[in-house]
């Protein structure tokens, strides 16, 4: 599926009800968008190939967080910030509500490395 259409569909699913057939491209440059979540009036989505998390506030898409080599595949609200799965890095990253990395978790409680962490 075309990435522009994918983002448009994600925005339509996560925002106020849209009229049937109404599509709006919100990020024509999105690089493999995944893992959307609507939170506090914004759409948060990951760009797997761009190693970023972006937000869309209804008017524009903005880079919220980035980590080279992460390969983010999902974002979820957690405590006073978010958790991001980094598929390529085999980790989960806790980020603050202002987009700063606060912790990286790459092992479980036994010390075993994660393999492709995902929410779900």
């Amino acid at each position: 599926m075309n990435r522009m259409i994918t983002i448009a569909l994600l925005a339509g699913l996560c925002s106020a009800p849209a009229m049937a057939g109404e599509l709006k491209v919100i990020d024509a440059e999105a690089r493999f968008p995944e893992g959307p979540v609507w939170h506090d009036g914004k759409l948060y989505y990951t760009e797997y190939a761009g190693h970023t998390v972006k937000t869309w506030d209804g008017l524009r898409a903005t880079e919220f967080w980035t980590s080279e080599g992460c390969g983010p595949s999902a974002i979820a609200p957690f405590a006073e910030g978010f958790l991001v799965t980094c598929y390529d890095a085999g980790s989960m990253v806790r980020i603050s509500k202002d987009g700063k990395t606060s912790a990286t978790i790459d092992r479980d409680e036994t010390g075993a490395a994660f393999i492709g962490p995902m929410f779900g």
Side-chain angles (χ1 to χ4, degrees):
M1 183 180 283
N2 180 299
R3 69 178 177 210
M4 291 185 294
I5 293 171
T6 302
I7 288 292
L9 291 173
L10 293 176
L13 291 173
C14 297
S15 62
M19 305 273 303
E22 182 182 327
L23 290 177
K24 179 179 180 179
V25 175
I26 64 168
D27 189 349
E29 302 301 316
R31 298 175 61 205
F32 203 141
E34 293 189 305
V37 64
W38 191 259
H39 182 71
D40 285 342
K42 291 182 183 178
L43 176 68
Y44 290 77
Y45 59 98
T46 64
E47 285 189 318
Y48 175 77
H51 304 285
T52 61
V53 171
K54 286 187 171 179
T55 63
W56 180 67
D57 64 4
L59 299 173
R60 68 178 163 262
T62 306
E63 187 174 291
F64 177 68
W65 175 84
T66 188
S67 179
E68 199 59 42
C70 169
S73 58
I75 183 168
F78 179 77
E80 293 296 316
F82 300 89
L83 287 177
V84 176
T85 57
C86 291
Y87 188 85
D88 289 353
S91 64
M92 290 192 344
V93 176
R94 186 172 177 179
I95 58 177
S96 65
K97 63 183 175 183
D98 61 349
K100 307 281 190 246
T101 299
S102 58
T104 299
I105 307 157
D106 62 359
R107 308 247 172 226
D108 67 17
E109 67 276 358
T110 68
F114 291 143
I115 301 173
M118 301 184 322
F119 297 128

